[in-house]
Amino acid sequence: SGQTHTITVSVNSDAVVEPHETFSVQLGEAVGLDPGQSVVIPVNTLESTILNDDAANLTLTAANSNGTEGDAYEFTVTLSAEVQNSFTIDYATVAATATEIDSDYTAASGTLNFTGAQNESHSFTVQSLQDNKVELDEVFAVILQRLDGLPPSAAGAVFTIGDPLSVTIQNDDSATVTISPPTATSEGSGGTATELTFEVSLSAPVQGGVSVNYQTVDGTATSPSDFVAVADTLNFAGDAETKTISVLIDADDTVEADETLQVMLDQLAVQLAGLEDSVTIATETATATILNDDSATLSITGPGALDEGSEFVFTVTLSNGVQDGLNVAYTTEEGTATLVDNDFQDNDGSL
């Protein structure tokens, strides 16, 4: 009757990622038969497959996940376990809030070549770029892709960890708002108003834009008699630029001292939350001087000749107003008429 025997082949365990492998068991010729006996072996070879049950990880890490503009970001890919065959894997940068178009970093891509040794690692660098724009912290990522060089059964046992990996470019820029006064300006005359022009400058671009309030402040010049008060808001769209503030001076004919007024900045506001500490007012006030360009004359008129016993009345006229007024002394002076001869009465005084 038929008999069954078993053949046991032990397979050794390892930790190497490798393709599925095969071996075979082959039967030789039957021996020990009597004459006339025969045994047919239709299939004398049987092949078996050893399935790979090992795995390896390619782990992507960054030496510095938070840097500042201009920093180089170093990335490393490490193989956790031995792989029987050499292979390659590609890497590439991926834009997020940081982009190559905005010159935030230099895009990078390439291929890493692994021999398959355990703990083998390869590194590459991505360069961030310096600018002067005040902006929010930005992020870009690195991905691993296109594992190549391994048979499918081995490739399916190599996994990527930490991919994609995002890193942050921290803002290190700042901007200031300054106000500059105009040169000293004459007030003008004839009722035609003169314009004072103050310049307000944003020193660097600011993401989202900036606004700042302004108002005139009385000095020795006061509103509304000397100038027209103004108060409003300047809006900067985001570029480094200069805007102007105009203040109208009232032209008059009054003789007065040179006078001053100020324009003050306050209530600076950024449009993006998180940038408040990066934009400041460097110069809060600017002082302008209004130069007096008026003058006045004093003229005296009186009768030319009157009979003895008459009263001579002289008139002193000030042609224009003088701020805070003025005094002028007057005296009578002898001519051919004298005090000794009692021709007139001495009259000295002040107006």
Side-chain angles (χ1 to χ4, degrees):
S1 62
Q3 295 181 11
T4 300
H5 295 274
T6 60
I7 301 170
T8 300
V9 178
S10 295
V11 177
N12 297 324
S13 296
D14 61 27
V16 179
V17 176
E18 51 199 344
H20 299 330
E21 298 173 310
T22 62
F23 71 94
S24 61
V25 174
Q26 185 176 30
L27 298 178
E29 294 181 0
V31 296
L33 297 175
D34 293 332
Q37 292 179 322
S38 67
V39 174
V40 178
I41 305 175
V43 178
N44 70 339
T45 301
L46 182 63
E47 185 178 88
S48 295
T49 300
I50 304 173
L51 299 177
N52 173 67
D53 61 355
D54 300 301
N57 295 326
L58 285 170
T59 302
L60 176 63
T61 58
N64 52 332
S65 59
N66 285 280
T68 56
E69 294 175 354
D71 284 352
Y73 290 77
E74 183 179 2
F75 297 86
T76 300
V77 180
T78 303
L79 180 63
S80 65
E82 182 180 351
V83 176
Q84 187 178 71
N85 303 89
S86 61
F87 63 91
T88 63
I89 191 165
D90 293 344
Y91 67 86
T93 50
V94 178
T97 51
T99 66
E100 183 186 9
I101 294 175
D102 287 341
S103 298
D104 296 316
Y105 65 93
T106 301
S109 61
T111 300
L112 303 177
N113 296 285
F114 284 84
T115 64
Q118 184 179 13
N119 296 325
E120 180 181 355
S121 65
H122 296 277
S123 298
F124 58 92
T125 299
V126 179
Q127 183 67 49
S128 68
L129 302 177
Q130 184 71 54
D131 62 26
N132 69 337
K133 183 179 182 179
V134 178
E135 53 198 340
L136 297 174
D137 295 345
E138 297 177 312
V139 173
F140 71 90
V142 169
I143 60 172
L144 300 178
Q145 56 190 354
R146 288 190 294 273
L147 179 70
D148 194 23
L150 294 177
S153 59
V158 178
F159 304 94
T160 58
I161 303 296
D163 160 48
L165 178 60
S166 296
V167 295
T168 301
I169 304 173
Q170 295 176 336
N171 174 66
D172 61 353
D173 298 302
S174 60
T176 57
V177 176
T178 58
I179 183 168
S180 302
T183 57
T185 303
S186 298
E187 65 181 4
S189 59
T192 301
T194 302
E195 190 173 82
L196 291 172
T197 301
F198 295 77
E199 292 187 342
V200 180
S201 299
L202 178 64
S203 65
V206 177
Q207 184 181 17
V210 175
S211 65
V212 64
N213 292 349
Y214 66 87
Q215 62 179 358
T216 49
V217 179
D218 287 353
T220 51
T222 59
S223 174
S225 59
D226 296 312
F227 65 91
V228 179
V230 294
D232 207 343
T233 301
L234 294 177
N235 293 295
F236 294 86
D239 295 328
E241 59 180 321
T242 297
K243 294 183 176 292
T244 59
I245 299 170
S246 296
V247 179
L248 294 179
I249 306 170
D250 287 335
D252 60 31
D253 296 321
T254 301
V255 178
E256 52 198 341
D258 295 342
E259 297 176 312
T260 61
L261 64 95
Q262 291 183 326
V263 171
M264 181 177 68
L265 303 180
D266 63 1
Q267 297 183 31
L268 176 73
V270 296
Q271 301 307 306
L272 291 182
L275 297 181
E276 294 85 355
D277 294 335
S278 297
V279 186
T280 58
I281 298 175
T283 308
E284 293 184 347
T285 59
T287 301
T289 299
I290 304 172
L291 299 176
N292 174 66
D293 58 358
D294 299 304
S295 61
T297 58
L298 282 171
S299 59
I300 183 169
T301 58
L306 292 175
D307 292 335
E308 291 180 348
S310 300
E311 186 175 76
F312 284 70
V313 177
F314 296 87
T315 302
V316 179
T317 302
L318 178 63
S319 62
N320 288 321
V322 175
Q323 187 180 39
D324 300 328
L326 73 155
N327 295 315
V328 61
Y330 63 88
T331 60
T332 51
E333 298 290 336
E334 293 180 332
T336 54
T338 66
L339 295 174
V340 172
D341 291 339
N342 201 26
D343 295 320
F344 66 93
Q345 296 178 359
D346 189 21
N347 186 6
D348 299 333
S350 176
L351 300 174

